[in-house]
Amino acid sequence: MSKGLLWRFSLIALFITLSLLYLTPTLVSPLPSWWKGLLPKDRIHLGLDLQGGTHLVMEVETQKAVEGTLDLIATDLEDALSAKTLRYKQIARQGGDRVGMTFYDRGTADEAQKLLKDKYPTMTLVPPYDEGGFVHLQLRMNEKEAQERKDRAVAQALETIRNRIDQFGVSEPVIAREGLTNIVVQLPGISDPKRAIELIGRTARLEFKLVDETVNPAIATPGTIPEDTEILMEKRTDPTTGAVTEIPLAVKKKAIITGDLLTDAQIRIDSQFNQPYVAIEFNSTGARLFDQVTAANVGKRFAIVLDNTIYSAPVIRERISGGSAQISGSFTEKEAADLAIVLRAGSLPAPVKIIQNVTVGPSLGEDSINKGLMAGAIGVALVILFMGIYYKLSGMVANFGMILNVLFLMGALAALGATLTLPGIAAIVLLIGMSVDANVLIFERIREELRLGKTPIAALDSGYDKAFLTIMDSHVTTLITAAVLFQFGTGPVKGFAVSLSLGVIINLFTALVGTKAIFDFVLNRLRVKRLSV
């Protein structure tokens, strides 16, 4: 056997071995105990349309992101004015685009105006006006800046949701932006969609707030509590019955530390009470603030608030240094694990609202798989029959190349960890057609050369040479189309593009190298005098 022929057969044998190796976890279940170490263990991932799962469309409430920014500006202004000993009556967000300030005199308002121009040069300052014996100032966010914050909120929400889903452990999720405010999430094969939805949609705004012990929350009303105090509910779950009760608690509105300063959150089990809790770590800024706050408030209670719900309100027994703390409460282990996930992944910049929730059952997925496989099997059988009848033994070589195509493609999907979807199965069926088409082009050129009286070897070489450019042209244009689909498509369209791209490359190899090697071996080594085509 010549070196060129040996090299080609070696390459084909290598690809067959690798494909079977990567397909074994998909075809054999369970795997034998010795199948460990370096051998592949992952099955081919199936898309949402094949194995079922959940399809969500969520709307990011972007206006809330703008309002959250204005709230932060209001808090920042309180600190800045206090630092310069400028007296003010009230600073608060007004509407959805401005922060309002009330001063006792014109002179203070003028000084504050200079400070605002330096501190927030991109925002519009409404000229001060007198009303009710006070001087009022307003700082307004312009439309362009508000829109930029809304766009940024959607991008941040998408990234946060992606982090949460990754830590939740969903394989091959689809997470993509849709339009200006929507995010599409597809979770194939999840067993607890309700838990996943709660995890994704939780805002996870973590705050530490001091408890206002001067207010009795049981009898307090909005008109009787101080302006800087609010009533929040403390959630308690009975560990025996699972019953949830809510107890009102008065806390200061201003957060002393927020979850933005966290670096890690892990679930732990209390060795004394065997209860799960979440251990958190602060960054250097958070550690310093936590140290200062606990040192200044020994003996007082501070509430750990997540999304306006109090999870615990312990008493500060001593100064806490080192930058670590724990969130304890009446958690189940699963609730504590989910809380740790959302704290690690960060909070959403704005709440998200689920506007579409479609759950595809596994029975529908199984039915889709069976129909897809049936369609593929019928297509392959018909093609094998036609090629065997019309092109005789040469047709059987083409059939062998087609089977290699499917084997190599499935092996490549498994090796690359790609997801097989119904459109992906359609791409495989299309690949079968392309494989046959390439061989028909070659065989027709060979027939023409044989009619001219050439020998089988000469007709074979000439047939492959003449069909080469046509095959390359059709495959390259298809590959370009697949690349465009992958770049601009989403979900199943991308799955189709991946399968099609791999199939085109593999078909070029089997049509121009694989089948040619078989013909060369038969004609040169076995001394066949007549070509059956």
Side-chain angles (χ1 to χ4, degrees), residues 317-330:
R317 302 288 183 194
E318 58 185 353
R319 179 178 187 168
I320 303 174
S321 303
S324 60
Q326 67 181 53
I327 304 174
S328 56
S330 51

Side-chain angles (χ1 to χ4, degrees), residues 1-17:
M1 187 181 293
S2 65
K3 284 186 179 178
L5 203 54
L6 181 63
W7 178 82
R8 283 182 281 170
F9 274 116
S10 300
L11 208 54
I12 293 169
L14 176 66
F15 288 158
I16 291 175
T17 305

Side-chain angles (χ1 to χ4, degrees), residues 99-173:
V99 175
M101 289 149 279
T102 305
F103 297 95
Y104 294 100
D105 58 84
R106 172 68 69 168
T108 306
D110 290 340
E111 287 192 45
Q113 198 172 356
K114 294 175 186 173
L115 175 72
L116 293 173
K117 284 180 180 175
D118 294 336
K119 201 169 182 61
Y120 298 102
T122 60
M123 296 182 71
T124 304
L125 188 62
V126 178
Y129 60 94
D130 297 328
E131 187 180 86
F134 298 100
V135 182
H136 300 273
L137 262 178
Q138 287 185 339
L139 193 64
R140 186 167 61 82
M141 183 181 288
N142 59 53
E143 288 187 10
K144 183 183 177 186
E145 188 172 351
Q147 188 57 48
E148 287 176 355
R149 290 185 182 277
K150 289 178 180 178
D151 288 341
R152 208 180 306 148
V154 178
Q156 288 176 353
L158 191 139
E159 203 55 41
T160 302
I161 290 172
R162 190 189 306 280
N163 288 337
R164 291 182 182 182
I165 292 174
D166 286 346
Q167 297 194 31
F168 188 60
V170 178
S171 176
E172 295 294 321

Side-chain angles (χ1 to χ4, degrees), residues 286-303:
R288 179 172 51 79
L289 283 175
F290 198 63
D291 178 68
Q292 293 173 353
V293 167
T294 52
N297 295 283
V298 172
K300 297 180 181 177
R301 296 174 71 195
F302 73 104

Side-chain angles (χ1 to χ4, degrees), residues 306-427:
L306 183 71
D307 293 345
N308 289 327
T309 298
I310 298 172
Y311 277 77
S312 59
V315 176
I316 303 173
R317 302 288 183 194
E318 58 185 353
R319 179 178 187 168
I320 303 174
S321 303
S324 60
Q326 67 181 53
I327 304 174
S328 56
S330 51
F331 296 122
T332 65
E333 196 164 330
K334 191 179 288 186
E335 287 172 341
D338 288 351
L339 177 58
I341 287 174
V342 295
L343 291 178
R344 279 201 304 272
S347 61
L348 288 172
V352 294
K353 182 171 62 180
I354 295 175
I355 57 177
Q356 187 181 11
N357 178 6
V358 180
T359 300
V360 182
S363 59
L364 179 60
E366 186 180 353
D367 184 53
S368 300
I369 291 174
N370 291 335
K371 286 182 179 177
L373 291 177
M374 179 63 73
I378 293 173
V380 170
L382 288 176
V383 168
I384 289 176
L385 191 64
F386 170 79
M387 294 298 287
I389 294 173
Y390 196 74
Y391 290 107
K392 305 179 182 66
L393 290 178
S394 295
M396 298 311 292
V397 174
N399 289 334
F400 178 69
M402 181 182 64
I403 292 170
L404 282 184
N405 269 340
V406 177
L407 176 66
F408 291 167
L409 177 57
M410 298 303 289
L413 288 175
L416 296 175
T419 302
L420 183 63
T421 60
L422 268 182
I425 293 177

